[in-house]
Amino acid sequence: MTTVEEYARGFGEEPGYLDYGRVGPLSATVRAETIGQYEILSKARYGTIERMRTEDERVRDGVSALTGFPADQVSFQPNASSGLLHAAFGLTGGDVLLSLSEFPSLTYAAERAARALRVITPTWLETDGGRVTPSRIREQLTDSTSAVMVSLVDSRTGYLADIDGIRQVIGDRLLIVDAIQGFGVVDAPWEVADVVVSGGQKWMRAGWGTGFLALSERAIDHLTPVFSGWTGSGPQQPWDEVLEPVRGAGAFSISNPDLVAEARFAAALEEVDAVGVSAISAAISDNVERVLQLADEFAVPVSSSRSPAERAGMIVLEPLPEQLTVLGASLHNHGVTASVRATNARISVHAGTTEETLDMLRAAFTSYASAA
């Protein structure tokens, strides 16, 4: 086991970084893995490529350890969007209920599948300010609803969805979860989902080109592998014939994966598993509380939920429009990296957020308060 303190020492980014919801700088473990893998590949000694192909099993085992899905029901993906497209295009009919305010990876997957195949119909969920709740879903379910798509953590509001509650109200309909804003830092009940999709470039700090698609048995039975390449037909190269896709998550493969990307992601998965998601989540929650205290001290309005049950690692600050410019300038001038958008600023803390970074945030809030 690894302690949270040991895990935190793997954060090598410059002080002031508070934007893990956009991208997580590579962890020390992932950086070492990357350098080592490229060194191996550059030498290309006898057996190198064959050995590197075992990274696929390694990364699927890593996803299995964190989600509980069997490794043979996991498929490596180059990003979350690819996994969501696989899921949406694989649906065989009915209405798909989701919020139009979800991150575009979800909405575009549903709409593109609907227009291309004409077998599903996106139904836009009316939400409570972008928050997808079991009660809202219950109100808008119909007999023709076949699937529900939702983000585990909403990227704009920071809201942590109650996927267990959603499962209880939707019954045996498929539940498709975009986990990217919470995977590795939220101790979620993954077993209630039929499809879990994530990328590794945010909270997992594994870099771009990493992700996965995990499927329940029900999802395997109900999804059609529309985009299934030659690698989705089994372990052997299918020369001189075109085979049917294999049954299972392996069918949702288009070509050979980036083996170094798989190794990077596997290293990140193993690192998180060693310390434990619950421990990481607790450390993040402590840092969220500290940011909330700073925001209150300097009267910076917070629009994201303060309830630990409804939040992950993101705090959304939403001052008046004329004051948002001041806040953005204050963060910039004090070297604080955050996501400043048209109506708000989003702060994302992690388990490795340092005292120096929080001091820089305090200085930015001080400047904001004096100018607002």
Side-chain angles (χ1 to χ4, degrees), residues 30-76:
V30 170
R31 182 174 181 272
E33 183 77 26
T34 304
I35 293 171
Q37 290 290 337
Y38 277 123
E39 180 66 19
I40 291 171
L41 184 58
S42 69
K43 302 298 183 184
R45 293 189 176 93
Y46 177 80
T48 292
I49 305 304
E50 287 70 23
R51 189 213 62 77
M52 291 183 70
R53 292 196 185 281
T54 64
E55 296 300 336
D56 186 69
E57 180 180 0
R58 181 186 171 198
V59 76
R60 290 186 292 104
D61 285 343
V63 172
S64 177
L66 293 187
T67 64
F69 282 75
D72 62 359
Q73 292 173 209
V74 175
S75 173
F76 178 78

Side-chain angles (χ1 to χ4, degrees), residues 331-347:
L331 293 169
H332 173 78
N333 291 339
H334 288 277
V336 175
T337 302
S339 289
V340 180
R341 293 170 171 164
T343 60
N344 58 49
R346 190 187 68 188
I347 301 291

Side-chain angles (χ1 to χ4, degrees), residues 50 58 60 76 98 111 114 129 136 152 180 185 210 245 251-252 275 294 321 323 335:
E50 287 70 23
R58 181 186 171 198
R60 290 186 292 104
F76 178 78
L98 74 161
E111 187 67 18
R136 280 296 196 176
L152 178 68
I180 195 168
V185 296
T210 59
F252 296 87
V275 66
L294 284 174
Q323 295 175 339

Side-chain angles (χ1 to χ4, degrees), residues 8-363:
R9 287 197 287 271
F11 287 70
E13 50 268 37
E14 294 289 326
Y17 193 84
L18 291 171
D19 209 8
Y20 298 94
R22 184 171 60 132
V23 61
L26 297 183
S27 72
T29 297
V30 170
R31 182 174 181 272
E33 183 77 26
T34 304
I35 293 171
Q37 290 290 337
Y38 277 123
E39 180 66 19
I40 291 171
L41 184 58
S42 69
K43 302 298 183 184
R45 293 189 176 93
Y46 177 80
T48 292
I49 305 304
E50 287 70 23
R51 189 213 62 77
M52 291 183 70
R53 292 196 185 281
T54 64
E55 296 300 336
D56 186 69
E57 180 180 0
R58 181 186 171 198
V59 76
R60 290 186 292 104
D61 285 343
V63 172
S64 177
L66 293 187
T67 64
F69 282 75
D72 62 359
Q73 292 173 209
V74 175
S75 173
F76 178 78
Q77 299 291 316
N79 46 59
S81 293
S82 294
L84 289 169
L85 285 166
H86 275 305
F89 274 79
L91 294 169
T92 55
D95 295 342
V96 180
L97 188 60
L98 74 161
S99 168
L100 190 57
S101 65
E102 291 279 14
F103 190 81
S105 289
L106 278 162
T107 57
Y108 271 68
E111 187 67 18
R112 293 291 187 259
R115 293 189 182 189
L117 301 181
R118 302 184 185 279
V119 296
I120 63 169
T121 302
T123 302
W124 305 119
L125 178 75
E126 295 181 8
T127 66
D128 298 317
R131 301 177 181 187
V132 177
T133 63
S135 60
R136 280 296 196 176
I137 290 176
R138 181 188 293 111
E139 294 168 358
Q140 297 169 64
L141 281 175
T142 68
D143 290 342
S144 60
T145 304
S146 62
V148 172
M149 300 179 76
V150 64
S151 294
L152 178 68
V153 179
D154 184 75
S155 64
R156 285 199 286 196
T157 66
Y159 178 72
L160 173 60
D162 177 8
I163 61 172
D164 189 26
I166 291 173
R167 165 54 68 198
Q168 292 178 38
V169 302
I170 70 172
D172 61 358
R173 298 170 175 88
L174 289 181
L175 177 56
I176 301 169
V177 178
D178 177 0
I180 195 168
Q181 288 290 9
F183 183 70
V185 296
V186 173
D187 198 7
W190 303 115
E191 69 278 3
V192 305
D194 293 295
V195 179
V196 177
V197 176
S198 186
Q201 80 273 22
K202 296 182 186 286
W203 302 90
M204 290 299 298
R205 304 181 297 141
W208 290 287
T210 59
F212 72 88
L213 169 71
L215 304 175
S216 70
E217 282 290 340
R218 179 165 48 191
I220 291 171
D221 288 338
H222 285 81
L223 295 181
T224 299
V226 175
F227 297 103
S228 182
W230 65 273
T231 54
S233 64
Q236 304 301 319
Q237 292 188 355
W239 294 96
D240 303 319
E241 60 179 331
V242 178
L243 302 176
E244 291 296 315
V246 297
R247 182 186 182 278
F252 296 87
S253 171
I254 295 174
S255 187
N256 283 322
D258 180 338
L259 303 179
V260 176
E262 286 192 315
R264 280 192 280 115
F265 196 25
L269 292 161
E270 292 159 0
E271 182 178 33
V272 169
D273 186 44
V275 66
V277 174
S278 59
I280 294 171
S281 179
I284 290 174
S285 184
D286 289 344
N287 285 330
V288 169
E289 287 293 342
R290 297 185 67 182
V291 172
L292 290 173
Q293 290 168 10
L294 284 174
D296 291 343
E297 180 180 346
F298 293 96
V300 184
V302 175
S303 62
S304 53
S305 179
R306 293 172 179 267
S307 168
E310 297 180 348
R311 72 183 193 211
M314 297 188 289
I315 307 98
V316 181
L317 310 173
E318 197 161 345
L320 294 173
E322 61 271 22
Q323 295 175 339
L324 178 60
T325 301
V326 176
L327 177 59
S330 297
L331 293 169
H332 173 78
N333 291 339
H334 288 277
V336 175
T337 302
S339 289
V340 180
R341 293 170 171 164
T343 60
N344 58 49
R346 190 187 68 188
I347 301 291
S348 304
V349 298
H350 211 310
T353 297
T354 63
E355 290 292 333
E356 186 175 359
T357 293
L358 293 174
D359 287 343
M360 293 167 70
L361 183 62
R362 170 182 283 277

